[in-house]
Amino acid sequence: MKRILLISVILLLATALLADSVAILSASKGKVSLERALKNLKFKNGELLQNKDVLRTGAESFAAYKYIDASSMIKLFSNSVVTVNASKEGGKLSKKVNVTKGSILTQVKKGSGTFTVQTPTTVASVKGTEFLTKVDDDGFSTFTVTDGEVELRVLETDEVQTVGKGKTGIVSPDGGIRVRVSSADDLDEIQKAELESAQSEEREPIIVPVLDDAGNRKLIEIHY
């Protein structure tokens, strides 16, 4: 089974790159929209996402996607807006998630290429970690790290701070930044996010049609 999965992922990766696709929508629940080139698209779980695609979740809604190099998972929670970004650099995907509002949980493997999360005030550079990013209605960006570390760069001032495991970094709309020990409330947000994710993600395999070198149509089964 593991060998079949590995072959499937390799084939999918090659096909997806040729089609300018950079990620796979692995789960969705409730009111979720997918926008591409300013047009709303019909979609289902297993949809291949392209660079600059925009995902939006409504109230009591959830979505998750994985980049095609199998390096990272992004989980969007209620009332969130995210733009998917990625480009190929040196044989690896350079990945960026733009968070306009709401909250996302980011899980990134070490050694998997450049990965950043950008909010209206901050760029967070990731080095193999898990953390929650929140952009609230008042313009504050909050980063709660549960594994690894995140380097925060404030766009307004260029100030840089490193936030490690068990810490939370908060950037205000005017560019002020502070790092503190994560509170129970911060960790509760992570736990709620993980609980919602576990309840919402569909675990049936994704079936994706691809063409081989001879032009024959094949179906690839992806387990996640």
Side-chain angles (χ1 to χ4, degrees):
M1 174 60 76
K2 290 183 179 179
R3 183 181 177 185
I4 293 173
L5 175 57
L6 178 60
I7 293 172
S8 296
V9 170
I10 291 173
L11 287 173
L12 177 64
L13 175 59
T15 303
L17 286 174
L18 289 174
D20 294 325
S21 296
V22 297
I24 302 169
L25 183 69
S26 58
S28 62
K29 175 186 176 183
K31 187 177 181 180
V32 179
S33 67
L34 169 61
E35 179 185 299
R36 181 175 300 158
L38 301 179
K39 295 182 180 179
N40 287 326
L41 304 180
K42 293 183 178 180
F43 66 93
K44 60 183 179 180
N45 290 346
E47 188 80 24
L48 293 175
L49 303 177
Q50 296 184 9
N51 192 40
K52 304 299 183 182
D53 279 357
V54 179
L55 285 170
R56 291 184 174 86
T57 57
E60 299 181 2
S61 300
F62 170 86
Y65 69 89
K66 293 183 178 182
Y67 283 96
I68 55 175
D69 60 359
S71 68
S72 47
M73 167 76 83
I74 309 299
K75 300 175 181 179
L76 290 72
F77 302 101
S78 298
N79 301 311
S80 299
V81 180
V82 161
T83 302
V84 181
N85 292 280
S87 59
K88 193 174 181 181
E89 293 182 2
K92 293 184 178 181
L93 278 184
S94 175
K95 300 167 285 287
K96 182 170 76 171
V97 184
N98 286 82
V99 185
T100 306
K101 61 177 285 189
S103 59
I104 68 168
L105 185 65
T106 305
Q107 297 165 315
V108 183
K109 294 180 181 178
K110 293 181 179 179
S112 57
T114 304
F115 193 107
T116 58
V117 174
Q118 182 167 334
T119 73
T121 62
T122 316
V123 175
S125 299
V126 181
K127 301 177 180 179
T129 186
E130 177 180 276
F131 67 104
L132 183 74
T133 301
K134 294 176 61 180
V135 179
D136 66 23
D137 292 338
D138 294 323
F140 285 83
S141 296
T142 303
F143 304 84
T144 300
V145 181
T146 58
D147 189 31
E149 65 178 24
V150 174
E151 182 182 270
L152 303 182
R153 180 174 64 85
V154 181
L155 296 174
E156 179 73 19
T157 63
D158 239 14
E159 181 179 355
V160 174
Q161 290 270 12
T162 297
V163 183
K165 180 179 179 179
K167 300 291 184 65
T168 294
I170 303 171
V171 181
S172 62
D174 62 5
I177 183 172
R178 65 188 179 100
V179 178
R180 58 167 172 75
V181 175
S182 298
S183 67
D185 289 341
D186 296 324
L187 298 178
D188 280 347
E189 289 295 328
I190 294 282
Q191 292 169 353
K192 289 176 183 177
E194 287 286 28
L195 178 60
E196 184 173 356
S197 170
Q199 292 174 341
S200 303
E201 285 191 81
E202 296 187 11
R203 291 300 179 180
E204 294 183 2
I206 298 170
I207 308 297
V208 179
V210 298
L211 296 178
D212 62 17
D213 292 337
N216 299 314
R217 184 176 182 272
K218 295 184 177 181
L219 296 178
I220 290 180
E221 184 176 289
I222 304 171
H223 295 264
Y224 56 97

